[in-house]
Amino acid sequence: MNPIGAAPPLTPKLARALIRSLTRGTAIPEGVQFIHVGHGRWLDAQYEVLQEVDEDGYSETKFVRGMYGAGKSHFLSILQEHARRQGWLCAHLECKADSVEIDRFEMVYERLMSKLSWLQDDGLVGGTSETTDSVRLLLERWAHGVHRQAKLPEDSVRRPFDADQKIYGVLSQGVLRTNLPPDLVQALTAFARASWERDEEVMRAVTTWLHGSGSSVSIPGRYTRSPSGMGTNGRAAPPAPVELKPIGRGSAREVMRGLLWLVREAGFKGLLLCIDEIEALTRLNRKRQEHAVQALRDFVDNGGAFRHCCMYLAATPDMFEGADYFPRYDALATRIQPVGGKEINFRAPVIDLDRTPLQQEEMMQIAQRIWSVHQIAYGTLEIPGFDEALLRKIIAALMRSRFGRIARPRLLSRLMVWELERARQDPAVYRPPGNLDATILDVADKLDKERA
């Protein structure tokens, strides 16, 4: 498989952004590749799953399990980085930050549409960018493909009716022959034709509708009707406008199925949807929790009846072990619980990061990489007392620590940045912590309070 683009360089600007994010114990998605270590067999298994879903056309749903700070979001970011380079479209949602409610698929759909991202030769498209509308760009990418298939002549601008007929002919062999929801078919048909005419109002209306904003939109009927039925001179009475009904609870799943068709038609291998912080469903009342778990079971069973879609759902161990959560619902618990002895199945429904914790040398590699990132961010500094020997003391103290509520990778990230910043700001008087165990305990307490 050929990558679509090369990895972006670690610039001082990106390095500083990564260091700032590590002060919170997490890494921004754009920076995880520069500090990533470990969990290789889990990742290799997921890369294999992605390839199979691309080739075979089914859908896959998996859970990522790990205690707070074990690297669940980090794992998902690495997976998405790989997927984008292999030609996948991705979306990453956080239940708390993005106000995602698993029991309401129309909300999941709306949120993922605002987070679509992919990779082009000139870099990342979409994601968290506030300057680009990835839904609009996806529609334009598909429409340009339709225009290429129409093989429009050079003078098509002066012969708009002929061009419209050719475009409609391509659509008749494509989207108009599908069993996708009628409103979606009309929306795509209108966008492909309006984009050729540069009708910005219609293009914007279709984009807004596909976002799932909960509002209906009206588009000119001529964009959804055959050109031959409207007269060659365009003087026939225009057909009535077409109203696209809001995408809501009753239609979101079907439109999602259509979105996956569009993703493939636009040249992508599929959609990788990652939903983090599933434990947020504990804030719902019991009835809504049951609906949410039922939705999760449906995803596990058949991917929500989708195709070319991989879904990864990240949650803390409490969700898998707590009597009030997954174990309470046999239909879900029996589908995801491990089978057999102690051997790890890296293709299992649950990716249990706690079963493959980072070892001492891997933790050392992370510390060294964070140090390197900090040097790129702020320049190489020779700081007496901050050296490889100190890193090894920090790692040894972390490996001795026993904090069941917070995993070591997050403790290490916070502690490394804290010490690096302390040393950088006053290198002449910097002294390493005298009591590393007490320092680690203090960092753990702060992280625990932030988590609450």
Side-chain angles (χ1 to χ4, degrees):
M1 294 179 289
N2 295 321
I4 290 180
L10 181 57
T11 62
K13 180 180 179 179
L14 178 56
R16 289 192 295 271
L18 179 53
I19 291 298
R20 286 194 298 272
S21 70
L22 289 175
T23 62
R24 301 184 297 273
T26 61
I28 55 174
E30 301 89 341
V32 293
Q33 60 187 306
F34 299 107
I35 61 171
H36 172 68
V37 176
H39 301 307
R41 295 194 65 184
W42 287 119
L43 286 166
D44 288 342
Q46 308 323 304
Y47 300 160
E48 184 179 66
V49 168
L50 289 172
Q51 183 173 348
E52 291 177 4
V53 170
D54 167 36
E55 296 175 356
D56 301 341
Y58 69 102
S59 287
E60 187 75 58
T61 299
K62 292 185 180 292
F63 290 84
V64 181
R65 167 181 166 151
M67 64 188 298
Y68 179 70
K72 298 183 295 298
S73 301
H74 182 110
F75 183 91
L76 294 177
S77 293
I78 291 293
L79 181 59
Q80 290 170 82
E81 182 75 18
H82 170 88
R84 281 191 287 259
R85 297 196 182 286
Q86 303 306 321
W88 284 71
L89 189 149
C90 298
H92 184 104
L93 307 180
E94 297 180 6
C95 286
K96 184 177 180 180
D98 297 315
S99 301
V100 174
E101 298 175 10
I102 296 298
D103 60 320
R104 297 178 58 192
F105 188 78
E106 70 276 14
M107 178 179 288
V108 175
Y109 172 85
E110 181 183 352
R111 298 299 189 270
L112 80 88
M113 292 301 282
S114 68
K115 293 293 187 73
L116 296 178
S117 66
W118 64 88
L119 198 64
Q120 293 184 166
D121 290 335
D122 54 352
L124 185 68
V125 174
T128 58
S129 171
E130 297 180 356
T131 60
T132 59
D133 186 336
S134 51
V135 175
R136 170 67 178 263
L137 295 176
L138 176 63
L139 286 166
E140 290 179 351
R141 177 173 170 142
W142 168 75
H144 291 162
V146 171
H147 300 162
R148 286 194 300 271
Q149 291 180 58
K151 299 179 180 179
L152 301 177
E154 293 182 0
D155 63 347
S156 58
V157 175
R158 291 186 288 116
R159 302 174 62 185
F161 180 77
D162 290 346
D164 194 31
Q165 277 194 316
K166 289 179 180 294
I167 293 172
Y168 193 82
V170 173
L171 296 171
S172 297
Q173 297 300 311
V175 66
L176 290 170
R177 298 184 66 179
T178 67
N179 64 347
L180 298 178
D183 276 4
L184 179 62
V185 171
Q186 291 182 318
L188 294 178
T189 300
F191 191 94
R193 297 166 76 180
S195 65
W196 179 255
E197 296 187 16
R198 298 180 177 84
D199 189 332
E200 182 62 32
E201 183 177 354
V202 172
M203 295 166 67
R204 188 163 48 244
V206 171
T207 301
T208 299
W209 179 81
L210 192 58
H211 262 287
S213 59
S215 60
S216 61
V217 301
S218 179
I219 55 178
R222 68 185 181 89
Y223 283 126
T224 66
R225 300 278 295 275
S226 168
S228 60
M230 295 186 291
T232 58
N233 57 11
R235 295 174 183 172
V242 172
E243 182 176 330
L244 304 178
K245 299 176 182 177
I247 298 173
R249 182 181 294 272
S251 59
R253 287 180 180 272
E254 279 299 292
V255 176
M256 177 69 174
R257 184 171 62 86
L259 171 67
L260 294 169
W261 177 90
L262 179 64
V263 166
R264 293 284 292 187
E265 290 294 307
F268 297 102
K269 294 183 176 180
L271 171 66
L272 171 60
L273 172 59
C274 299
I275 306 181
D276 211 344
E277 302 174 344
I278 294 296
E279 60 270 14
L281 66 82
T282 61
R283 299 182 178 92
L284 304 176
N285 61 42
R286 181 55 61 90
K287 184 176 181 180
R288 292 190 61 190
Q289 283 184 25
E290 291 177 352
H291 290 163
V293 175
Q294 176 62 37
L296 296 178
R297 191 195 76 170
D298 183 51
F299 292 143
V300 172
D301 279 353
N302 53 28
F306 302 140
R307 291 175 57 81
H308 296 289
C309 178
C310 283
M311 186 179 299
Y312 286 80
L313 308 158
T316 55
D318 289 346
M319 297 304 300
F320 299 87
E321 299 171 359
D324 289 334
Y325 305 121
F326 295 171
R328 183 170 179 268
Y329 305 91
D330 288 343
L332 175 63
T334 55
R335 283 164 170 78
I336 65 176
Q337 65 187 11
V339 176
K342 297 181 179 180
E343 296 80 8
I344 299 177
N345 175 9
F346 293 97
R347 288 287 300 259
V350 178
I351 300 162
D352 191 346
L353 300 183
D354 292 337
R355 295 195 67 184
T356 56
L358 299 182
Q359 301 304 303
Q360 188 158 338
E361 280 306 310
E362 291 174 315
M363 294 283 285
M364 183 65 184
Q365 291 176 42
I366 292 178
Q368 291 169 331
R369 293 184 182 189
I370 293 175
W371 191 8
S372 296
V373 170
H374 194 271
Q375 289 176 321
I376 292 173
Y378 299 105
T380 302
L381 298 174
E382 293 293 337
I383 303 172
F386 199 102
D387 51 22
E388 292 281 338
L390 174 59
L391 297 191
R392 295 201 174 276
K393 289 179 181 178
I394 290 174
I395 300 304
L398 279 170
M399 300 306 288
R400 291 194 307 267
S401 65
R402 293 289 183 270
F403 298 104
R405 61 194 185 275
I406 301 174
R408 293 190 183 101
R410 180 155 296 182
L411 285 168
L412 174 62
S413 298
R414 173 65 73 88
L415 182 57
M416 278 294 300
V417 174
W418 177 267
E419 288 301 312
L420 282 165
E421 285 294 276
R422 194 164 69 88
R424 178 176 72 90
Q425 293 170 32
D426 207 345
V429 299
Y430 172 75
R431 295 293 182 272
N435 188 336
L436 277 171
D437 292 332
T439 301
I440 292 171
L441 178 61
D442 183 49
V443 171
D445 285 341
K446 287 181 170 61
L447 287 171
D448 205 29
K449 291 176 182 177
E450 290 172 9
R451 179 190 181 192

